[in-house]
Amino acid sequence: MASQPNLVPREFPTPGFVKLNHSEKIEEETLPFYEHQPDHEMAISEHLKNSNHHFGKQLVRLVMDSFEVVGPQGKHTCLLYQPLGMNLAEFRNWFPDNKFPKGLFQRTIQLVLISVAFTHQNNEDEMKHPIARKVLPDCNIYYSRPMLVNEALCVLFDLGEARLGIQNQNGDIMPGMDWDCEVDIWSGGIMEDRILDDEQHLTEIFSLLGTPPPEFLIRNDNCFKYWDKQGNWKGNITIPEQSLEMRFGQYDGEDKEPFLNFLRRILRWLPEERPTAEELTYDDFLMQPLLVASGLCLASLTRLIEE
């Protein structure tokens, strides 16, 4: 069999694009913790590639390849992925009042949970419309190219903070204590508006969940910076007056209690009290459309799926 000929490298246009100020930080460069250290994400991706088959595997965006370029700060490793469309925050802005329809929200959360369960268990337009970039003396830094809306499934991506193994981990993800894979369930239920402040984070949690149990407080001495031994708040930030019911007032009637119960299963002080991603996939609220359409009870449907 004859070997395939080498492909001729494409010659991209040099004019016709917006030239950005090279001193202005863009996209990931604006993040305070941004560094070019992809080795961890590559290792996680390789581990997941070699895992057993699981439906959620197709819902996780894994590294396809990598290469190095030389930039103003030295060598920079570039990761190659399948292209994605818009993220959920951008997609949400297409809907009235920036809110997902209930059915779309339910299906999306289920798909995300399936992809998380997997991780726990295991056409170029540059020719016609060059993307904006910063032109440096020895390299170019491109803006990410926006993708059109399509009918593909949502996927889980950005594994830079993922960890191998199920043992307790540490790091500033859940203030006050070590964490394990159950932190992903917790993250699915919180909204922080990108505020990276432990005390602000804890006041929001305290206002929504109430007094933490003693078992939570004694696991890490850092907790006593914010609570006394009886669980009374002693931080410097005032606890906001709010509740889960107030925060999610847009749900009413038959939707309100199932949705609040869904959140209450997630937002538990103690990690061991939270359901697994797979268990949460079959929550009454997420299964509501299918149950209504089929007339089945949840227990019956779960048995059918398992069989």
Side-chain angles (χ1 to χ4, degrees), residues 11-39:
E11 294 185 7
F12 292 101
T14 52
F17 58 83
V18 175
K19 186 179 291 188
L20 303 173
N21 184 343
H22 67 82
S23 63
E24 182 180 348
K25 293 183 177 181
I26 63 174
E27 299 189 331
E28 289 93 342
E29 294 177 326
T30 63
L31 300 175
F33 46 81
Y34 176 65
E35 295 180 2
H36 304 308
Q37 295 181 348
D39 292 350

Side-chain angles (χ1 to χ4, degrees), residues 205-217 227-233 239 268-270:
I205 297 170
F206 189 39
S207 67
L208 297 174
L209 304 190
T211 303
E215 299 95 313
F216 176 87
L217 297 175
W227 289 281
D228 62 23
K229 293 183 179 180
Q230 286 70 47
N232 299 307
W233 179 256
I239 301 296
R268 306 298 298 264
W269 285 108
L270 298 176

